Every structure is written in C-alpha cells, then in structure tokens.
Amino acid sequence: MSPETVKLAVVQMHVTDQMEDNVSRAIAHVRDAAAQGAQVILLPELFENLYFCQVEREEYFDLAHSLDGHPFVGRFQELARELGVVLPLSYFEKAGQAHYNSLVCIDADGTLLGNYRKTHIPDGPGYEEKYYFNPGDTGFRVWDTRFGRVGVGICWDQWYPETARVMMLQGADFLLYPTAIGSEPAEVETPNSHHMWQRAMIGHAVSNSTYVAAANRIGTERVGDLEQTYYGHTFISDYTGEMVAEFGDTEEGPLLHTLNLREARKFRAGMGFFRDRRPELYGPLLTTDGVTRRG
C-alpha cells in the first residue's frame, strides 16, 4: 500500500576529482536531509567524481567498479539503514567487459532493491557518454520502497516522454532524475538553458499527473582540455506542473518538499490520461522511422 504523503529531498552539490571527498560530502547532505525529515533522498548523477565524459580518455574507465564489493554502495546501504531513508544511488558500473551508467535503489532498511542501467546514452561535444557506457539492458525500473513506488531515470533519460510514461505504467508514484548537465563547449550551437531542461520534465509531470524531481551538480569542472560549468537549478514539480521547490545555480544541499501522493493519485484518475490511451495505435513508437512493418 502506497503512503499518502512522502517527504522528498533532492541534493545539489559540487564535485571534485577525489572520490572520498565527494562521498563524504554526499553522506553529509543525506544526513542533513534526513534531519529535516526527508524519507527519500536523491543525489546527482555520477557524484563520485568529476564528469569525466567531457573527453574520451581510456584512463577514466578505471573509475568504474562492479556492484559486488563496490567501494561506497555498501556505505550508503548502512546509511539508509541507520537513517531509515530510501536512497536511489548513481554510480559508474563495470560488469565483465561492459560499462554502464547505473543506479541502485536502496530501501530504508538498507536492502538493495535492484539495479538500473541508463537507457538513453548521449553523444556530443562535452557529453561523450557513448565512448564510456554501453546502452542499458535492464529496461526501465520502478521499485517498491518503504515510502512508495519510486521510478528513476538517469539524466539523458529525462528528455524522453517514453521513459516517464513507461515508469508510470509500471505504477510509479513519482519520478526522479539524477543529472549532470550544464554548459556546452563554445563550438556547440545548441542552447545552454536550464529552462528547456526543466520544461521537458515538467511536461512529464503534466502528461502523467505526477510529481517529478531532478538533482543536478553545480560548479566548474576541468577535465582534460575542456571546462564545463554545471547550472544546478535542481527542482521539484508537482503533479500539475507547478514548480514547488527550486535552487539556483550556486546553492548546495538538500531541497525538500512533501509530496501528497493521495491527491496526485486522485487527480491522475480524474484527468483520464491513462484511461484514454490507445496503445494499439502506438506501433510507430516501436520503430526508428515511424513505419510499422508487419510479417
């Protein structure tokens, strides 16, 4: 049975090139959030190190670790158990000869509920993720936790309405997105705007009548010959698309809001978006060119 309300925290933080420094800071932010009553706490994407995907360098594969015997996932399991909080946790995963941008969901008793591997992998100047990460093979994941059914995508996933819709069809009570996003290299013509980033996810909130939240990093990071500034603007949107909590581009720490899941469920049912779906007509969504082929 899903709870009627959940207190959510999304953490905005800066990152250095020292894993222990980042993990210790992340733990401090989790403790701060829990002290303020947070029950589910989301840290940013790949918070363990600088966003190394700015450049393509073989040496950065050394940052990946297998989930079994991972250097810090166990510490967050102990932390979740101690504080009684749910922690969806981003990490760089090594599995055999494969590498993934992954996330484990840790329940409030410290149990690992499962592993999600990022589905959509970007490839562009300053965001060279296809060099490092295999496309995820887990499918989208939703977890039954002590504090509701939690659906989590990872960064580039947040631009895709399909990601949000699938997680909602799987019964998610709310959607979370750990993120690492900011400035583009000078030669890139695409806009560098947190507004567009937020609007995409707010659209998911509206079309799925659900709470949506994203946690981003802040600060300027230099990797190789490139430098990027991450624009923060970590936020929480309610189930009507209203921004109910937001940081700017410099604040650090947890951003909190109480989610009224009971009211969201009632509103979602009344809107009828899921009642009026016509999945039998959505075949073109299963193709790359919009042409459904039969036989």
Short mmCIF file of all heavy atoms in Angstrom, two decimals, residues 7-12 29 32-33 36 38 40-42 198 213-215 233-237 243-248 251-259:
data_model
loop_
_atom_site.label_atom_id
_atom_site.label_comp_id
_atom_site.label_asym_id
_atom_site.label_seq_id
_atom_site.Cartn_x
_atom_site.Cartn_y
_atom_site.Cartn_z
N LYS A 7 8.02 12.71 2.14
CA LYS A 7 8.89 13.89 2.14
C LYS A 7 10.14 13.58 1.31
O LYS A 7 10.92 12.70 1.66
CB LYS A 7 9.28 14.32 3.56
CG LYS A 7 9.88 15.72 3.60
CD LYS A 7 9.80 16.33 4.98
CE LYS A 7 10.19 17.81 4.96
NZ LYS A 7 10.09 18.44 6.30
N LEU A 8 10.29 14.29 0.22
CA LEU A 8 11.37 14.07 -0.74
C LEU A 8 12.45 15.13 -0.59
O LEU A 8 12.15 16.31 -0.36
CB LEU A 8 10.81 14.13 -2.17
CG LEU A 8 11.81 14.12 -3.32
CD1 LEU A 8 12.52 12.78 -3.41
CD2 LEU A 8 11.12 14.47 -4.63
N ALA A 9 13.71 14.72 -0.75
CA ALA A 9 14.83 15.66 -0.84
C ALA A 9 15.64 15.34 -2.09
O ALA A 9 15.93 14.17 -2.38
CB ALA A 9 15.74 15.56 0.39
N VAL A 10 15.98 16.37 -2.84
CA VAL A 10 16.89 16.25 -3.97
C VAL A 10 18.12 17.10 -3.66
O VAL A 10 17.99 18.26 -3.26
CB VAL A 10 16.23 16.67 -5.30
CG1 VAL A 10 15.34 15.56 -5.83
CG2 VAL A 10 15.42 17.95 -5.15
N VAL A 11 19.29 16.52 -3.82
CA VAL A 11 20.53 17.16 -3.37
C VAL A 11 21.26 17.81 -4.54
O VAL A 11 21.47 17.19 -5.59
CB VAL A 11 21.45 16.13 -2.69
CG1 VAL A 11 22.82 16.74 -2.38
CG2 VAL A 11 20.80 15.59 -1.41
N GLN A 12 21.65 19.06 -4.35
CA GLN A 12 22.50 19.78 -5.30
C GLN A 12 23.86 19.95 -4.66
O GLN A 12 23.96 20.39 -3.52
CB GLN A 12 21.87 21.13 -5.63
CG GLN A 12 22.64 21.95 -6.66
CD GLN A 12 21.79 23.05 -7.26
OE1 GLN A 12 20.86 22.79 -8.03
NE2 GLN A 12 22.09 24.30 -6.92
N HIS A 29 25.24 15.52 3.16
CA HIS A 29 23.99 16.08 2.64
C HIS A 29 22.81 15.14 2.93
O HIS A 29 21.70 15.61 3.22
CB HIS A 29 24.11 16.31 1.13
CG HIS A 29 24.99 17.46 0.75
ND1 HIS A 29 24.98 18.66 1.43
CD2 HIS A 29 25.92 17.59 -0.24
CE1 HIS A 29 25.86 19.49 0.87
NE2 HIS A 29 26.44 18.86 -0.13
N ASP A 32 21.88 15.63 6.49
CA ASP A 32 21.18 16.91 6.64
C ASP A 32 19.73 16.77 6.20
O ASP A 32 18.80 17.22 6.88
CB ASP A 32 21.91 17.96 5.80
CG ASP A 32 21.30 19.35 5.92
OD1 ASP A 32 20.46 19.58 6.82
OD2 ASP A 32 21.67 20.23 5.10
N ALA A 33 19.52 16.13 5.05
CA ALA A 33 18.16 15.96 4.54
C ALA A 33 17.32 15.12 5.50
O ALA A 33 16.16 15.45 5.79
CB ALA A 33 18.21 15.29 3.16
N GLN A 36 16.04 16.88 8.43
CA GLN A 36 14.91 17.75 8.11
C GLN A 36 13.64 16.96 7.80
O GLN A 36 12.62 17.53 7.41
CB GLN A 36 15.25 18.66 6.93
CG GLN A 36 16.40 19.62 7.19
CD GLN A 36 16.68 20.51 5.99
OE1 GLN A 36 15.80 21.23 5.53
NE2 GLN A 36 17.91 20.46 5.49
N ALA A 38 13.40 14.22 5.59
CA ALA A 38 13.31 13.58 4.28
C ALA A 38 13.25 12.06 4.44
O ALA A 38 13.94 11.47 5.26
CB ALA A 38 14.50 13.97 3.41
N VAL A 40 12.86 10.06 1.25
CA VAL A 40 13.52 9.64 0.01
C VAL A 40 14.50 10.74 -0.37
O VAL A 40 14.11 11.91 -0.41
CB VAL A 40 12.50 9.42 -1.13
CG1 VAL A 40 13.21 9.01 -2.42
CG2 VAL A 40 11.46 8.36 -0.74
N ILE A 41 15.75 10.37 -0.65
CA ILE A 41 16.80 11.37 -0.88
C ILE A 41 17.56 11.01 -2.14
O ILE A 41 18.14 9.92 -2.25
CB ILE A 41 17.76 11.45 0.33
CG1 ILE A 41 16.98 11.74 1.61
CG2 ILE A 41 18.83 12.51 0.08
CD1 ILE A 41 17.79 11.56 2.88
N LEU A 42 17.58 11.93 -3.10
CA LEU A 42 18.23 11.71 -4.40
C LEU A 42 19.48 12.55 -4.53
O LEU A 42 19.43 13.78 -4.40
CB LEU A 42 17.26 12.07 -5.53
CG LEU A 42 17.80 11.87 -6.95
CD1 LEU A 42 17.95 10.37 -7.28
CD2 LEU A 42 16.90 12.56 -7.97
N GLN A 198 14.26 21.99 -17.64
CA GLN A 198 13.17 21.88 -16.68
C GLN A 198 11.84 21.67 -17.38
O GLN A 198 11.01 20.86 -16.95
CB GLN A 198 13.11 23.13 -15.80
CG GLN A 198 14.24 23.23 -14.80
CD GLN A 198 14.17 24.52 -13.98
OE1 GLN A 198 13.62 25.53 -14.43
NE2 GLN A 198 14.71 24.49 -12.78
N ALA A 213 11.07 15.22 -10.06
CA ALA A 213 12.16 15.98 -9.45
C ALA A 213 13.49 15.58 -10.08
O ALA A 213 13.67 14.43 -10.51
CB ALA A 213 12.21 15.73 -7.94
N ALA A 214 14.42 16.53 -10.13
CA ALA A 214 15.75 16.29 -10.68
C ALA A 214 16.80 16.89 -9.76
O ALA A 214 16.60 17.97 -9.20
CB ALA A 214 15.88 16.89 -12.08
N ALA A 215 17.93 16.17 -9.60
CA ALA A 215 19.06 16.63 -8.80
C ALA A 215 20.25 16.84 -9.71
O ALA A 215 20.68 15.91 -10.40
CB ALA A 215 19.39 15.60 -7.72
N HIS A 233 20.00 24.37 -10.61
CA HIS A 233 18.55 24.51 -10.80
C HIS A 233 17.82 23.20 -10.53
O HIS A 233 16.83 22.87 -11.20
CB HIS A 233 18.23 25.08 -12.18
CG HIS A 233 18.50 26.55 -12.26
ND1 HIS A 233 17.60 27.50 -11.84
CD2 HIS A 233 19.61 27.23 -12.67
CE1 HIS A 233 18.13 28.71 -11.99
NE2 HIS A 233 19.34 28.57 -12.50
N THR A 234 18.36 22.45 -9.59
CA THR A 234 17.66 21.30 -9.03
C THR A 234 16.25 21.74 -8.64
O THR A 234 16.05 22.83 -8.10
CB THR A 234 18.44 20.80 -7.80
OG1 THR A 234 19.67 20.23 -8.26
CG2 THR A 234 17.66 19.81 -6.98
N PHE A 235 15.24 20.88 -8.90
CA PHE A 235 13.87 21.32 -8.67
C PHE A 235 12.95 20.15 -8.37
O PHE A 235 13.28 18.98 -8.61
CB PHE A 235 13.35 22.08 -9.90
CG PHE A 235 12.99 21.18 -11.07
CD1 PHE A 235 11.68 20.77 -11.27
CD2 PHE A 235 13.96 20.74 -11.95
CE1 PHE A 235 11.35 19.92 -12.32
CE2 PHE A 235 13.65 19.90 -13.00
CZ PHE A 235 12.33 19.49 -13.19
N ILE A 236 11.77 20.50 -7.88
CA ILE A 236 10.67 19.56 -7.68
C ILE A 236 9.42 20.19 -8.29
O ILE A 236 9.09 21.34 -7.99
CB ILE A 236 10.43 19.26 -6.19
CG1 ILE A 236 11.70 18.68 -5.55
CG2 ILE A 236 9.25 18.30 -6.02
CD1 ILE A 236 11.62 18.56 -4.02
N SER A 237 8.74 19.43 -9.15
CA SER A 237 7.47 19.88 -9.74
C SER A 237 6.34 19.03 -9.18
O SER A 237 6.50 17.83 -8.95
CB SER A 237 7.52 19.71 -11.27
OG SER A 237 6.22 19.84 -11.84
N MET A 243 6.10 24.40 -10.34
CA MET A 243 7.38 24.29 -9.66
C MET A 243 7.16 24.60 -8.17
O MET A 243 6.80 25.73 -7.82
CB MET A 243 8.38 25.28 -10.25
CG MET A 243 9.80 25.05 -9.79
SD MET A 243 10.67 23.87 -10.81
CE MET A 243 10.96 24.87 -12.28
N VAL A 244 7.37 23.62 -7.32
CA VAL A 244 7.09 23.81 -5.90
C VAL A 244 8.36 24.02 -5.08
O VAL A 244 8.29 24.46 -3.92
CB VAL A 244 6.27 22.64 -5.32
CG1 VAL A 244 4.87 22.63 -5.92
CG2 VAL A 244 6.95 21.31 -5.55
N ALA A 245 9.52 23.72 -5.66
CA ALA A 245 10.80 23.97 -4.98
C ALA A 245 11.89 24.01 -6.03
O ALA A 245 11.90 23.20 -6.96
CB ALA A 245 11.10 22.87 -3.96
N GLU A 246 12.82 24.97 -5.89
CA GLU A 246 13.89 25.11 -6.87
C GLU A 246 15.10 25.81 -6.25
O GLU A 246 14.94 26.78 -5.50
CB GLU A 246 13.42 25.92 -8.08
CG GLU A 246 14.48 26.08 -9.17
CD GLU A 246 14.07 27.04 -10.28
OE1 GLU A 246 13.05 27.75 -10.11
OE2 GLU A 246 14.77 27.10 -11.29
N PHE A 247 16.29 25.32 -6.56
CA PHE A 247 17.53 26.01 -6.26
C PHE A 247 17.95 26.84 -7.47
O PHE A 247 17.46 26.63 -8.59
CB PHE A 247 18.65 25.01 -5.96
CG PHE A 247 18.69 24.53 -4.53
CD1 PHE A 247 19.15 23.24 -4.24
CD2 PHE A 247 18.30 25.34 -3.48
CE1 PHE A 247 19.22 22.78 -2.94
CE2 PHE A 247 18.36 24.89 -2.16
CZ PHE A 247 18.83 23.60 -1.90
N GLY A 248 18.88 27.76 -7.24
CA GLY A 248 19.51 28.48 -8.34
C GLY A 248 20.75 27.73 -8.81
O GLY A 248 20.83 26.50 -8.73
N GLU A 251 23.43 27.33 -4.95
CA GLU A 251 23.09 26.72 -3.66
C GLU A 251 23.57 25.27 -3.60
O GLU A 251 23.54 24.56 -4.60
CB GLU A 251 21.58 26.76 -3.41
CG GLU A 251 21.02 28.14 -3.22
CD GLU A 251 20.40 28.68 -4.50
OE1 GLU A 251 20.90 28.33 -5.60
OE2 GLU A 251 19.44 29.45 -4.40
N GLU A 252 23.97 24.85 -2.42
CA GLU A 252 24.38 23.47 -2.21
C GLU A 252 23.64 22.90 -1.01
O GLU A 252 23.48 23.57 0.02
CB GLU A 252 25.89 23.36 -1.98
CG GLU A 252 26.33 21.95 -1.64
CD GLU A 252 27.71 21.59 -2.16
OE1 GLU A 252 28.32 22.41 -2.87
OE2 GLU A 252 28.17 20.48 -1.85
N GLY A 253 23.18 21.65 -1.17
CA GLY A 253 22.48 20.99 -0.07
C GLY A 253 21.20 20.34 -0.54
O GLY A 253 20.94 20.22 -1.74
N PRO A 254 20.36 19.90 0.41
CA PRO A 254 19.11 19.24 0.05
C PRO A 254 17.96 20.23 -0.13
O PRO A 254 17.83 21.19 0.62
CB PRO A 254 18.85 18.32 1.24
CG PRO A 254 19.49 19.00 2.40
CD PRO A 254 20.67 19.77 1.84
N LEU A 255 17.16 19.99 -1.15
CA LEU A 255 15.94 20.74 -1.42
C LEU A 255 14.77 19.82 -1.10
O LEU A 255 14.69 18.71 -1.64
CB LEU A 255 15.91 21.16 -2.89
CG LEU A 255 14.73 21.98 -3.39
CD1 LEU A 255 14.81 23.41 -2.83
CD2 LEU A 255 14.72 22.03 -4.92
N LEU A 256 13.85 20.25 -0.23
CA LEU A 256 12.81 19.36 0.28
C LEU A 256 11.41 19.83 -0.07
O LEU A 256 11.15 21.03 -0.18
CB LEU A 256 12.93 19.22 1.80
CG LEU A 256 14.11 18.41 2.33
CD1 LEU A 256 15.34 19.29 2.55
CD2 LEU A 256 13.74 17.70 3.63
N HIS A 257 10.54 18.84 -0.22
CA HIS A 257 9.11 19.13 -0.40
C HIS A 257 8.33 17.88 -0.03
O HIS A 257 8.77 16.76 -0.30
CB HIS A 257 8.80 19.53 -1.84
CG HIS A 257 7.38 19.96 -2.05
ND1 HIS A 257 6.92 21.20 -1.65
CD2 HIS A 257 6.31 19.32 -2.60
CE1 HIS A 257 5.63 21.31 -1.95
NE2 HIS A 257 5.25 20.18 -2.52
N THR A 258 7.17 18.06 0.57
CA THR A 258 6.30 16.93 0.89
C THR A 258 5.37 16.65 -0.28
O THR A 258 4.63 17.54 -0.74
CB THR A 258 5.48 17.22 2.16
OG1 THR A 258 6.37 17.39 3.27
CG2 THR A 258 4.55 16.06 2.46
N LEU A 259 5.42 15.42 -0.79
CA LEU A 259 4.59 15.01 -1.91
C LEU A 259 3.28 14.43 -1.38
O LEU A 259 3.29 13.49 -0.56
CB LEU A 259 5.30 13.94 -2.74
CG LEU A 259 6.78 14.16 -3.09
CD1 LEU A 259 7.26 13.06 -4.03
CD2 LEU A 259 7.02 15.54 -3.69
#
